[in-house]
């Protein structure tokens, strides 16, 4: 697995950092300055708000890149002759790692190891998204979506409410480029945020959702209602992932509530 510092040298990670820098610069120093002016109280307020959103995006992105998503503890793999169980959920054997893996863990072909509560391998953070870094990942997606939509609103407002000299080809191309980037980011990251909000509130990973599609179909076919076994209710689901203290839900470095990632409570429904 690539070293933590080495991940920041990967092309996708550098591309994300560069894109955040580009959107921040154009939003603040081009469109907010052009529309409201940074010297005005309203312009300065938008500058402060947008700077905070951009800062939180970068901070949570860095944590998601650096933080280990979680590997199977050595102590878990010791008694391989008696596969452990987790409240009725049987652990499975990984042929590639030649050991048992905890429930909700999956083998990542890129990282070449089993990852605890693996959601997916994200090329944009050059890391797996799993038990240890899912919280900073979702906080990054949240702030990136808010920042993209915020940028799009500022861009559209500047274009509609200020006179621009579109006779210059360079200025016209610049505005078209910014518009495409901001609209594209808003739609893409906004959709990603919506998807992960659904997963958060149902205490599911992307892999578990794919596995549950057939189970849902079979349940409907037999006239039954499917219920995800780890779904404890919206508040408990959020607390498991974001932490018990709501004041720290949006802090990407507040990860003290995470345990070893090998056991999860299941619903009795």
């Amino acid at each position: 697995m690539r070293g933590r510092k080495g991940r920041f040298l990967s092309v996708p990670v550098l591309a994300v950092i560069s894109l955040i820098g580009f959107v921040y610069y154009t939003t603040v120093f081009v469109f907010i300055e052009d529309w409201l002016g940074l010297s005005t109280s309203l312009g300065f307020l938008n500058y402060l708000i947008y700077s905070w959103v951009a800062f939180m995006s970068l901070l949570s992105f860095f944590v998601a890149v650096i933080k280990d998503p979680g590997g199977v503890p050595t102590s878990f793999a010791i008694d391989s002759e008696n596969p452990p169980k987790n409240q009725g959920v049987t652990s499975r054997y990984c042929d590639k790692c030649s050991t048992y893996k905890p429930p909700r863990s999956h083998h990542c072909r890129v990282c070449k190891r089993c990852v605890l509560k693996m959601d997916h391998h994200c090329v944009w953070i050059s890391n797996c998204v799993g038990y240890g870094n899912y919280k900073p990942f979702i906080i990054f997606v949240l702030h990136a979506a808010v920042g993209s939509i915020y940028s799009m609103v500022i861009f559209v407002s500047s274009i509609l409410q200020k006179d621009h000299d579109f006779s210059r080809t360079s200025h016209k191309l610049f505005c078209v480029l910014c518009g495409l980037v901001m609209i594209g980011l808003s739609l893409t990251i906004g959709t990603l945020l919506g998807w992960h909000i659904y997963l958060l509130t149902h205490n599911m990973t992307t892999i578990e959702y794919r596995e549950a599609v057939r189970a849902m179909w079979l349940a409907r076919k037999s006239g039954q209602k499917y219920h995800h076994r780890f779904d404890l209710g919206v508040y408990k689901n959020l607390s498991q992932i974001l932490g018990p203290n709501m004041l720290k839900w949006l802090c990407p470095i507040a990860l003290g509530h995470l345990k070893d990632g090998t056991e999860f409570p299941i619903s009795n429904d």
Side-chain angles (χ1 to χ4, degrees):
M1 188 175 179
R2 179 180 296 183
R4 298 181 184 182
K5 293 182 179 179
R7 295 175 194 158
F8 285 101
L9 300 178
S10 67
V11 173
V13 171
L14 292 175
V16 172
I17 296 173
S18 300
L19 187 58
I20 293 174
F22 171 78
V23 173
Y24 176 79
Y25 178 84
T26 54
T27 301
V28 172
F29 297 106
V30 178
F31 296 112
I32 291 182
E33 171 65 25
D34 183 65
W35 176 34
L36 300 170
L38 293 176
S39 59
T40 65
S41 57
L42 187 57
F44 186 69
L45 177 62
N46 276 275
Y47 159 72
L48 289 179
I49 295 174
Y50 194 79
S51 295
W52 175 254
V53 173
F55 168 75
M56 288 299 294
S57 296
L58 272 178
L59 175 61
S60 51
F61 177 74
F62 288 155
V63 176
V65 171
I66 294 174
K67 183 67 177 175
D68 188 349
V72 179
T74 306
S75 58
F76 185 89
I78 289 178
D79 191 10
S80 58
E81 294 183 357
N82 299 306
K85 295 185 178 181
N86 174 33
Q87 299 185 20
V89 183
T90 306
S91 302
R92 294 173 296 175
Y93 189 79
C94 178
D95 294 326
K96 298 181 178 64
C97 294
S98 299
T99 187
Y100 282 94
K101 55 187 176 183
R104 313 188 80 179
S105 300
H106 294 273
H107 189 88
C108 176
R109 291 175 294 178
V110 180
C111 297
K112 294 180 171 48
R113 66 166 182 165
C114 288
V115 176
L116 299 174
K117 197 186 174 187
M118 179 178 173
D119 187 89
H120 68 287
H121 184 90
C122 181
V123 65
W124 299 109
I125 66 172
S126 193
N127 196 8
C128 267
V129 176
Y131 182 73
N133 65 347
Y134 185 69
K135 178 181 177 178
F137 174 79
I138 194 63
I139 294 175
F140 164 66
V141 173
L142 171 63
H143 284 88
V146 171
S148 299
I149 295 171
Y150 198 157
S151 295
M152 185 177 66
V153 172
I154 294 294
F155 168 76
V156 172
S157 300
S158 174
I159 294 297
L160 295 180
Q161 300 188 35
K162 295 289 289 187
D163 293 330
H164 289 264
D165 182 14
F166 290 113
S167 61
R168 291 184 299 153
T169 304
S170 59
H171 182 68
K172 185 186 298 184
L173 290 176
F174 175 75
C175 289
V176 169
L177 173 63
C178 289
L180 290 175
V181 169
M182 293 172 183
I183 292 173
L185 286 176
S186 298
L187 292 174
T188 303
I189 305 179
T191 301
L192 182 63
L193 175 63
W195 168 245
H196 278 283
I197 288 176
Y198 172 84
L199 294 178
L200 272 171
T201 54
H202 290 79
N203 203 352
M204 265 187 187
T205 65
T206 299
I207 295 175
E208 287 172 346
Y209 176 82
R210 292 171 181 169
E211 293 175 343
V213 169
R214 176 173 172 78
M216 293 177 188
W217 178 78
L218 291 174
R220 286 196 300 267
K221 188 176 181 181
S222 60
Q224 298 177 343
K225 184 178 180 181
Y226 173 80
H227 182 79
H228 182 52
R229 59 189 172 183
F230 297 108
D231 188 353
L232 307 175
V234 174
Y235 178 75
K236 289 185 178 180
N237 292 341
L238 293 175
S239 297
Q240 268 202 354
I241 297 165
L242 302 178
N245 189 344
M246 292 183 65
L247 297 177
K248 296 181 179 181
W249 276 11
L250 295 182
C251 180
I253 59 176
L255 302 172
H257 62 285
L258 297 180
K259 300 178 181 179
D260 64 357
T262 61
E263 295 183 359
F264 301 91
I266 59 175
S267 172
N268 295 321
D269 296 338

